[in-house]
Amino acid sequence: MTNSEEVIADVTELSATNLVLDELRSLLQRLDRLLEGAVVAAQTAYGSEAATDPYRGLHISQQDVEQLLAREPGVPLFQRDGDKGDGDNDTQRSADNSFSYPPSRGVRLAWFQQTFGLSDFDLDVVAIALAPEIDRRYERLYAYLQDDVTCKQPTVDLALNLLCPSAAAKLMRRDRFAPDAPLLRHGLLHLVGERDRVKSTLLAQYLQLDEQVIRLLLGQKGLDTRLVSFCQLVQPTVSLKELHINPEIKQALSVLVVQDWQRCQPLRLYFQGSDRISKRRTAEALAAEVKVPLLAVDLARIVEAKVDFESTLKRLFREAWFQNALLYLDGLDVVQSNDQAISYQCLLAAVAENRGITILSGVQPWAGARGIITVPFTLPDFAQRRRCWEAHLTAVGIRLNEVELDALVDRFRLTPDQIADAVTIACNTARWQAAARGGEGEITEFESQTLKSVDLYAAARTQSGHDLATLARKIEPKYSMDDIVLPADQQRQLQEICNQAKYRHIVYGQWGFEGKLSVGKGLNVLFSGPPGTGKTMAAEIMAHELQLDLYKIDLSQVVSKYIGETEKNLNRIFTAAESANAILFFDEADALFGKRSEVKDSHDRYANLEIAYLLQKMEEYEGISILTSNLRQNLDDAFTRRIRFIVEFPFPEEESRLQIWQGIWPKQTPLGADVDLLLLARQFKLAGGNIRNIALAAAFLAAENGQSVGMKQLLQASKREFQKMGRLVSDKEFVI
């Protein structure tokens, strides 16, 4: 903001403040007249000596006692002879049934009185309670009139004495401080008892305006201090045109919000989906459409704070009303949980009563009251993601060819904000690499044009998988397709699986198969075979080939002996995986995916339910899930029918074992001239995992003696591997 803009803003704010003061001036002038008369009456009532007593309000003299006893009960303390008082004017204002937001300036006080159905008497009470917030001189006046230097806040008794002309009027006006009177029923005024007394009389209770009312009447900016931990008042800077969401949703939201805001009609929307950022930005854009702020509330924080949920909700809805703001309530799922049933009902009631615009946000489908419009926020489809990637890449001067761009878009189901962050991360990585090479830390035009797609893949992977990381172990792929030794048919199967992941946007999108399938659009793969035959290695190869993260799920942490817990654990995994853009790897899955048994008791029935639930989640999951099993015969037909690919990993024959022996050694490893890999492949019938263990053990034996890896170390390591496997060995087998 420039200096001239700041000056204009200051002048505008000063002008608005003057309007607020002008509006309150007549109210305070009336109060001043009442106080002037009360002071004169008090001096008459107390006597000239009492009026000048420096210890007045600190002690009670004999003369004070005599005057108190002589006074007629209930008579207003400050009423002078012949004074009719100002309290006769008690015109009752009926509450305005039509909903409207507070005016920004000029007639706010009239709106306040009309909206809440306050009488002139009520408005005078508001003035008495509000005055010390404007000028502290009223505190000293109140202390003087109440004959107590510690009583600087107005009491019910002081208000009645100031505003009522007679004892009968004082008695009658007590109903204006009853719980069902407008001031207390609407929560505009609170009666606060004396601190050192268990229970105060009505007359002794202090008048305290609610903080929101004070801020409204004084035209102050900012939030109620009781709410700052749970919400933000946002001045929106984003427009609907900038958002990468469905154009039809944009159009419908704009029409509904603008129309109902202008007509002051209630509108209740539910933004349903896992993309919290897009939902929040859409709410801000809608607030910008009607040129008002957005009051964004985190319901989860309210629950965690363990405050009174119902009263906090009332303050939040009123805050949105007084601030002329759209109300956005995020985190509905927390309140919908079983242990928050009462809070959820309070929320539904508050939403139903609110006559403004309310936007709720959650992940689960709406199952609450009627009258709420659900707006789905699904992840962008391929075409939307492609446009978003193109826009952000073009903005930084990066150009990918059609094939690379399509592969990047299809592989990662990211939100628009995640795509923007991924491009930024890739550019920052390029800057870092340029600086590390001795450059100036800036991306040259050439570097931006030749930025590798692998860098964009790496940046895209950082945008997802955070929730899944708490439930599974991430594996860094080390192998490529050339590293695995399998029969030709199995090699082709692995490549076919990868190709289905690469070209799904063509088959499902361009060729229309997505419209034919409700479930089963993901890739469910089963790797079966004996231990050590390359199943885990193949999973790493797929992750490397597709440039996706690989997460290994520990089934010992998933399967539970408690009924229903296994399903909950599986649901958490698949829910987290929906936005992870990763491969799920269930290793040694026989513990959970074994052959379903006949139902002989309740435990068998629940075990079968667990497996059925898993099959359902696998069909719904649109990513890649890999299961491994050592015993394929344990899987029944219903299970295998839901698997897209089943790849058998056979025990390696002599030729395959020789290829494994040849490929197991890093280039830096020194091998002795006596090493006979053909002999090892022919003599020892081992799987690839065992061969890897032997090679590593032999390397350590050689390093211990400072030698190259020779047959002596390999035979010794082979002997130890057979012993570990529990197989009978003869020393003759390990002699050259």
Side-chain angles (χ1 to χ4, degrees), residues 207-238:
L207 306 178
Q208 187 178 87
L209 280 181
D210 190 82
E211 181 180 339
Q212 289 178 322
V213 174
I214 295 172
R215 302 183 72 87
L216 171 74
L217 296 179
L218 298 184
Q220 293 179 324
K221 297 180 179 179
L223 286 173
D224 185 332
T225 55
R226 297 166 294 185
L227 303 176
V228 292
S229 300
F230 316 124
C231 61
Q232 290 180 306
L233 190 65
V234 181
Q235 298 297 334
T237 58
V238 63

Side-chain angles (χ1 to χ4, degrees), residues 434-467:
R437 291 193 300 269
E440 297 180 359
E442 298 293 337
I443 306 177
T444 65
E445 182 179 355
F446 173 77
E447 287 171 334
S448 67
Q449 292 177 4
T450 59
L451 187 67
K452 297 179 180 178
S453 59
V454 66
D455 298 325
L456 291 168
Y457 275 91
R461 287 196 296 270
T462 64
Q463 298 302 304
S464 51
H466 306 297
D467 294 335

Side-chain angles (χ1 to χ4, degrees), residues 462-511:
T462 64
Q463 298 302 304
S464 51
H466 306 297
D467 294 335
L468 189 58
T470 63
L471 303 171
R473 181 168 64 89
K474 184 178 178 180
I475 298 176
E476 294 294 336
K478 301 294 184 182
Y479 303 108
S480 64
M481 200 69 78
D482 296 332
D483 294 320
I484 195 167
V485 177
L486 283 174
D489 187 60
Q490 279 82 345
Q491 289 267 14
R492 283 194 296 272
Q493 277 187 293
L494 289 182
Q495 192 60 59
E496 288 171 10
I497 297 170
C498 292
N499 288 341
Q500 286 211 9
K502 291 178 181 179
Y503 303 113
R504 70 190 307 274
H505 66 283
I506 296 177
V507 175
Y508 288 131
Q510 297 178 20
W511 293 357

Side-chain angles (χ1 to χ4, degrees), residues 20-39:
V20 170
L21 291 175
D22 289 341
E23 189 177 12
L24 294 174
R25 186 169 288 115
S26 61
L27 196 65
L28 295 178
Q29 286 173 347
R30 169 177 164 75
L31 175 60
D32 286 345
R33 290 196 302 272
L34 289 172
L35 292 173
E36 287 173 5
V39 169

Side-chain angles (χ1 to χ4, degrees), residues 90-204:
D90 192 17
T91 305
Q92 179 72 41
R93 298 285 190 265
S94 59
D96 190 352
N97 292 325
S98 63
F99 179 75
S100 64
Y101 285 93
S104 58
R105 60 191 67 174
V107 291
R108 184 169 293 196
L109 196 61
W111 173 90
F112 178 71
Q113 183 178 15
Q114 185 71 28
T115 298
F116 293 104
L118 304 181
S119 67
D120 289 345
F121 179 90
D122 295 330
L123 205 58
D124 284 334
V125 172
V126 169
I128 293 170
L130 180 65
E133 295 287 344
I134 300 173
D135 193 336
R136 290 198 64 187
R137 68 187 176 92
Y138 290 100
E139 292 181 348
R140 300 185 66 184
L141 289 169
Y142 292 163
Y144 176 83
L145 293 174
Q146 294 177 109
D147 195 16
D148 187 346
V149 295
T150 65
C151 192
K152 297 180 179 181
Q153 299 301 314
T155 60
V156 173
D157 186 50
L158 177 63
L160 292 174
N161 281 327
L162 285 172
L163 302 176
C164 296
S166 64
K170 278 187 67 175
L171 193 61
M172 184 175 63
R173 294 296 181 267
R174 286 172 65 99
D175 66 352
R176 307 310 294 176
F177 302 98
D180 59 346
L183 285 173
L184 274 68
R185 184 176 75 250
H186 295 301
L188 309 176
L189 180 75
H190 307 289
L191 299 182
V192 181
E194 296 174 289
R195 294 181 181 177
D196 56 345
R197 298 183 62 176
V198 177
K199 185 175 181 180
S200 302
T201 63
L202 175 63
L203 296 180

Side-chain angles (χ1 to χ4, degrees), residues 355-529:
R355 292 180 289 174
I357 294 180
T358 309
I359 302 175
L360 297 161
S361 173
V363 177
Q364 301 301 322
W366 177 254
R370 298 178 181 177
I372 293 182
I373 301 173
T374 297
V375 182
F377 276 78
T378 57
L379 289 173
D381 60 21
F382 178 85
Q384 291 171 327
R385 295 198 303 274
R386 196 180 195 281
R387 288 194 296 270
C388 193
W389 274 107
E390 273 189 311
H392 289 293
L393 289 173
T394 302
V396 295
I398 299 174
R399 291 191 293 273
L400 299 179
N401 62 49
E402 296 294 319
V403 175
E404 289 178 328
L405 180 60
D406 287 347
L408 179 64
V409 173
D410 184 56
R411 212 68 50 81
F412 297 96
R413 301 179 66 208
L414 301 177
T415 67
D417 290 282
Q418 288 176 322
I419 292 172
D421 290 342
V423 173
T424 300
I425 290 172
C427 291
N428 288 339
T429 301
R431 287 191 62 195
W432 177 265
Q433 293 172 349
R437 291 193 300 269
E440 297 180 359
E442 298 293 337
I443 306 177
T444 65
E445 182 179 355
F446 173 77
E447 287 171 334
S448 67
Q449 292 177 4
T450 59
L451 187 67
K452 297 179 180 178
S453 59
V454 66
D455 298 325
L456 291 168
Y457 275 91
R461 287 196 296 270
T462 64
Q463 298 302 304
S464 51
H466 306 297
D467 294 335
L468 189 58
T470 63
L471 303 171
R473 181 168 64 89
K474 184 178 178 180
I475 298 176
E476 294 294 336
K478 301 294 184 182
Y479 303 108
S480 64
M481 200 69 78
D482 296 332
D483 294 320
I484 195 167
V485 177
L486 283 174
D489 187 60
Q490 279 82 345
Q491 289 267 14
R492 283 194 296 272
Q493 277 187 293
L494 289 182
Q495 192 60 59
E496 288 171 10
I497 297 170
C498 292
N499 288 341
Q500 286 211 9
K502 291 178 181 179
Y503 303 113
R504 70 190 307 274
H505 66 283
I506 296 177
V507 175
Y508 288 131
Q510 297 178 20
W511 293 357
F513 269 84
E514 188 167 14
K516 292 288 186 180
L517 302 174
S518 56
V519 293
K521 288 180 282 189
L523 273 174
N524 301 324
V525 183
L526 173 67
F527 292 164
S528 67

